[in-house]
Amino acid sequence: MTYPAPVKHLLGAGIGAVAPQCDYERCVFVIGHMRCGSTALSNVLCSRPEISGYGETQVPYTSKVSPGALLLNQIKRKTWKPQAKHLFDKLLHNRLDNTPPPQFFRARAIFITREPKAAIPSVVSLFRKIGSSQFATIEKAGDYYVKRLKHMKALWRQFPENHRCAVTYEDLTQHTDEVLENISNFLNLSPPLHNHYEENNMSGVKGAGDPVNAQKHSQIVSGGLSRKYKKDLLPEEKAVIDRAENVLREARSCFHSG
């Protein structure tokens, strides 16, 4: 059953009043952009008994009671772990975290980015495969990428230093064990995260993560450019990628300088 937004708010508030998990302090968010490796990282995180979630719920974080809506979503999807210490979600769109309440920044946030020369063509390829024109050109996907990274940088600055960490897709796929150990330390997980996960009942579900590759792997693996975009880009497409490169450079400088 799908509930109207006001009803969801009331239900979330009610659940939050009685469930200790429904506190931003106990939330873990992966904050990134489409095609950044967030699905695989989410699967590894949610394979742990301490973390309740499955990936991308599309819950908007606009209220202090939004964690109640997150828990309600997990109950509906039959992914809720009542004994878990943390509630998990991943946020890939500005509409979900554009106006968060002050309590949002009590959560633990893992920021993840990927080079635009791979991420942007991958977004285009994905939307063409699923038959959507929303981000089916380099220009549209590039505009989304730039706006998302600028907003991610603004969010980063509002999290306390001990509530935020940053990883790159390139490090996640090339130095996986080291990155997972760092995330484990950040979240106080013992034993450390292991690069393996089991398929869950939300794998490949529209809106819940990668609908193309989610069921192909059981661990974090390296990806690449889609076949179509291994060839040279048109001059106007290259200009989009170059602009995005500059924005990524600024964002990563912010993330890795404190």
Side-chain angles (χ1 to χ4, degrees):
M1 179 182 297
T2 301
Y3 299 103
V7 175
K8 287 183 180 179
H9 180 86
L10 290 174
L11 288 172
I15 291 175
V18 297
Q21 288 173 323
C22 295
D23 188 321
Y24 279 108
E25 184 72 31
R26 294 181 63 170
C27 289
V28 173
F29 297 130
V30 164
I31 298 178
H33 55 81
M34 291 186 290
R35 315 307 283 170
C36 67
S38 62
T39 294
L41 177 57
S42 297
N43 287 341
V44 169
L45 288 164
C46 293
S47 70
R48 293 293 291 251
E50 306 99 312
I51 300 176
S52 179
Y54 61 85
E56 187 177 9
T57 69
Q58 304 291 325
V59 168
Y61 293 91
T62 57
S63 165
K64 66 181 181 180
V65 301
S66 293
L70 173 59
L71 191 148
L72 180 64
N73 179 284
Q74 293 183 12
I75 292 174
K76 178 181 177 181
R77 302 297 186 183
K78 299 180 180 179
T79 60
W80 180 45
K81 302 173 188 174
Q83 303 305 316
K85 178 180 179 181
H86 300 290
L87 291 181
F88 175 86
D89 201 1
K90 70 170 179 173
L91 309 175
L92 306 182
H93 298 277
N94 289 352
R95 68 177 184 274
L96 301 176
D97 53 23
N98 204 32
T99 56
Q103 295 87 344
F104 178 83
F105 301 100
R106 297 176 185 171
R108 269 60 177 178
I110 302 166
F111 287 72
I112 181 168
T113 56
R114 185 182 184 186
E115 292 280 354
K117 62 184 177 183
I120 290 175
S122 186
V123 171
V124 173
S125 177
L126 169 63
F127 276 79
R128 290 183 177 181
K129 284 179 180 177
I130 65 176
S132 171
S133 63
Q134 185 177 10
F135 299 112
T137 67
I138 292 290
E139 291 79 5
K140 290 180 179 179
D143 184 61
Y144 154 81
Y145 180 96
V146 165
K147 289 178 179 177
R148 183 59 182 159
L149 261 68
K150 287 183 177 180
H151 184 56
M152 287 170 61
K153 187 169 69 170
L155 290 175
W156 171 269
R157 288 171 172 159
Q158 296 181 74
F159 279 97
E161 288 187 16
N162 62 337
H163 281 228
R164 68 191 187 192
C165 75
V167 302
T168 70
Y169 171 92
E170 295 75 31
D171 282 344
L172 180 65
T173 55
Q174 296 170 25
H175 308 288
T176 307
D177 291 341
E178 179 182 344
V179 170
L180 292 182
E181 183 176 1
N182 290 339
I183 293 174
S184 299
N185 292 334
F186 171 63
L187 296 177
N188 296 314
L189 297 177
S190 181
L193 293 164
H194 176 59
N195 185 21
H196 179 77
Y197 52 86
E198 301 293 336
E199 180 181 333
N200 62 58
N201 65 346
M202 294 300 294
S203 295
V205 173
K206 184 177 180 181
D210 185 343
V212 176
N213 297 311
Q215 296 175 310
K216 294 181 180 179
H217 306 292
S218 60
Q219 63 180 15
I220 295 170
V221 297
S222 180
L225 293 175
S226 65
R227 184 175 300 174
K228 179 178 179 59
Y229 289 102
K230 286 181 180 177
K231 66 180 184 181
D232 292 339
L233 297 173
L234 297 173
E236 58 269 26
E237 294 175 330
K238 186 177 184 302
V240 171
I241 301 294
D242 288 345
R243 179 189 175 212
E245 291 275 10
N246 291 332
V247 174
L248 175 66
R249 192 176 303 112
E250 293 173 0
R252 285 186 174 175
S253 176
C254 175
F255 298 162
H256 297 285
S257 64

